[in-house]
Amino acid sequence: MMNQAVGRLPVLPKPLALPLGLVPDRLHSTLMGRILNHVFAGSISDGELDFLEGRTICIRVSDAGITYGLHLHNGRFTAAPGAQADLSIEGAAYDYMLLVSDREDADTLFFQRRLSMGGSTELGVHLKNFLAGVDMDTLPLPAQLRPALDRCIGLYERFA
């Protein structure tokens, strides 16, 4: 786990955020849905994500201007941009990178108010508990993803 010193946290530079914000939310959401369907295929087929069935989640990356609207329907994540969210999560790109890389846990980021949640607290707790139990080494991810993410975080901390 990484302890971020008190002070200014890295923020996605506007020249990088601008082009990301120009891409329609539907395209962002569709791509994210496909990625999640691949990465969590085993968990979906095992019923571990049944608590999300028929529910809509909105994930907002505040400094990138991106909003992912996702709905789990018939065991598949599908794009649902602009839909009424049962659960919404918002944070900066850096905080999501720390979460995905396992450098920070969700509880720390929520307690430090770097990630915020709205909507169904029960759904948020289920999702947090599911993610906390995921062993990143068992997911079908490219072997170079973790080292690449670590390099990105290092660059982000130096230059953002």
Side-chain angles (χ1 to χ4, degrees):
M1 299 274 190
M2 181 180 141
N3 274 334
Q4 183 67 29
V6 176
R8 188 179 87 72
L9 295 171
V11 176
L12 188 66
K14 288 187 191 240
L16 293 177
L18 180 63
L20 292 172
L22 295 175
V23 176
D25 287 343
R26 176 162 293 285
L27 185 56
H28 283 291
S29 298
T30 299
L31 180 60
M32 181 61 75
R34 288 182 180 170
I35 291 168
L36 293 175
N37 286 326
H38 173 74
V39 170
F40 293 118
S43 297
I44 292 170
S45 67
D46 291 345
E48 294 175 38
L49 290 171
D50 285 354
F51 66 94
L52 289 176
E53 184 66 34
R55 310 299 285 276
T56 301
I57 298 174
C58 175
I59 302 168
R60 177 149 171 72
V61 185
S62 54
D63 56 347
I66 298 172
T67 301
Y68 301 99
L70 299 163
H71 181 80
L72 189 67
H73 179 68
N74 292 329
R76 301 278 307 158
F77 284 103
T78 59
Q84 179 67 34
D86 296 293
L87 174 66
S88 60
I89 302 169
E90 183 170 348
Y94 179 69
D95 296 317
Y96 286 116
M97 286 191 294
L98 293 177
L99 185 64
V100 170
S101 69
D102 236 3
R103 289 189 182 192
E104 288 285 2
D105 61 67
D107 287 334
T108 299
L109 294 169
F110 281 111
F111 287 131
Q112 292 177 353
R113 298 177 189 237
R114 291 168 49 193
L115 287 181
S116 62
M117 181 175 62
S120 171
T121 303
E122 179 183 353
L123 186 60
V125 169
H126 279 290
L127 183 59
K128 182 193 77 67
N129 289 340
F130 167 76
L131 293 173
V134 171
D135 180 2
M136 292 289 287
D137 295 329
T138 64
L139 296 177
L141 299 169
Q144 293 302 316
L145 182 65
R146 187 174 295 262
L149 183 57
D150 288 338
R151 283 191 302 275
C152 285
I153 291 171
L155 289 170
Y156 205 83
E157 289 170 342
R158 269 177 72 194
F159 298 110

